[in-house]
């Protein structure tokens, strides 16, 4: 019954922007920490951004200053605003619900993923 559904991915030119959304159900969203991961071809899945239930945030160094994670508890939704996109950002992006503790995110649930392709 737990579902995380991502949307907003697509094809964008370098320097462009996208906003990803993840709508959740079956969880008490307001008490969950949330994260966005990505996985590029041939690479490990990596955490790019996380936001706690108290709205503390953290970002991977590679996206710091370009990406912003936010949440809307009334809509049970977490967002990832991606600006100044680079070809290296091309990946499948996954939403996760879990727990953030001492600099690490511990996922419990995953969305299906949404493809982001940055190319001219």
């Amino acid at each position: 019954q737990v579902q995380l559904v991502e949307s907003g991915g697509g094809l964008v030119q370098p320097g462009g922007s996208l906003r990803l959304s993840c709508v959740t159900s079956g969880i008490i969203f307001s008490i969950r920490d949330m994260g966005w991961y990505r996985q590029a071809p041939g690479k490990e899945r990596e955490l790019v951004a996380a936001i706690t239930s108290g709205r503390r945030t953290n970002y991977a160094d590679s996206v710091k200053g370009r990406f912003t994670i936010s949440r809307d508890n009334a809509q049970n939704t977490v967002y990832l605003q991606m600006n100044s996109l680079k070809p290296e950002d091309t990946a499948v992006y996954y939403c996760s619900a879990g727990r953030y503790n001492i600099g690490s995110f511990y996922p419990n649930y995953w969305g299906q993923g949404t493809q982001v392709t940055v190319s001219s």
Side-chain angles (χ1 to χ4, degrees), residues 32-45:
R32 291 280 185 165
D33 301 335
M34 301 294 297
W36 284 98
Y37 288 76
R38 68 186 181 188
Q39 188 165 26
K43 294 189 176 181
E44 298 285 316
R45 188 172 298 190

Side-chain angles (χ1 to χ4, degrees), residues 3-51:
Q3 289 191 319
L4 286 69
V5 181
E6 301 100 332
S7 62
L11 175 64
V12 66
Q13 294 187 0
S17 298
L18 285 174
R19 189 174 81 151
L20 307 183
S21 300
C22 173
V23 180
T24 70
S25 60
I27 63 171
I28 306 175
F29 179 81
S30 62
I31 66 171
R32 291 280 185 165
D33 301 335
M34 301 294 297
W36 284 98
Y37 288 76
R38 68 186 181 188
Q39 188 165 26
K43 294 189 176 181
E44 298 285 316
R45 188 172 298 190
E46 63 174 345
L47 180 69
V48 299
I51 184 167

Side-chain angles (χ1 to χ4, degrees), residues 102-116:
I102 317 299
S104 296
F105 189 85
Y106 300 88
N108 296 126
Y109 303 102
W110 295 94
Q112 82 289 345
T114 186
Q115 176 71 48
V116 172

Side-chain angles (χ1 to χ4, degrees), residues 41-85:
K43 294 189 176 181
E44 298 285 316
R45 188 172 298 190
E46 63 174 345
L47 180 69
V48 299
I51 184 167
T52 70
S53 61
R55 290 185 168 85
R56 285 164 42 224
T57 60
N58 83 298
Y59 300 92
D61 288 342
S62 59
V63 308
K64 200 168 297 181
R66 300 188 298 121
F67 290 12
T68 303
I69 189 170
S70 62
R71 65 191 296 155
D72 184 344
N73 287 352
Q75 298 295 320
N76 299 324
T77 301
V78 63
Y79 303 95
L80 186 68
Q81 178 68 46
M82 304 185 294
N83 298 327
S84 302
L85 282 162

